[in-house]
Amino acid sequence: MPIVTIPATALNKLDSHSAYVQIAVGGGTGFIVGYVFFKVSKVLAICIGSAILTVEVAVETGLIKIDWSKVTDQQHEPPIVRQMAVSPFTPMDYAIDVDKAKQIILSSARLSIAILGGFLLGFGFS
């Protein structure tokens, strides 16, 4: 049983609860996702910015040398096509359950708006 089926069954049961429960669950879910999204994006921005500055300083000090002619030549070459590795979790295992969860969320405007509002609150409070 894929991991994604747990939220889908929970969402099926959520539809039968009152509007207040749906708003609370949607707002709480959105808040957590927004908070985590902001924290992860902030850490990611710091890492990428640090890497860019480190490479620039290394180029200026002469620690690394970039042959820009090779870089520009590679832009005109066709991309290398690679095959994805086979894993025990195929995309079709997730697609069915994610589509079901998406259908349930989109069928309830109240839940969707609550998730959006909670996401914005979580993003703002982080």
Side-chain angles (χ1 to χ4, degrees), residues 67-82:
D67 187 5
W68 289 107
S69 63
K70 286 185 180 180
V71 173
T72 55
D73 290 343
Q74 288 179 352
Q75 289 178 350
H76 302 293
E77 294 178 7
I80 299 171
V81 178
R82 296 186 178 140

Side-chain angles (χ1 to χ4, degrees), residues 36-58:
V36 170
F37 179 77
F38 184 77
K39 292 296 184 180
V40 169
S41 64
K42 189 164 46 168
V43 169
L44 188 63
I46 290 170
C47 292
I48 292 172
S50 300
I52 291 171
L53 291 177
T54 303
V55 169
E56 287 297 317
V57 169

Side-chain angles (χ1 to χ4, degrees), residues 4 20 22 30 32-33 37-38 47 52 56-57 65 69-70 76 90-92 99 103 107-108 113-114 121:
V4 183
Y20 298 112
Q22 291 180 12
I32 291 169
V33 170
F37 179 77
F38 184 77
C47 292
I52 291 171
E56 287 297 317
V57 169
K65 184 176 179 182
S69 63
K70 286 185 180 180
H76 302 293
T90 61
M92 286 307 295
D99 286 340
Q103 178 186 9
S107 67
S108 174
I113 297 299
L121 281 174

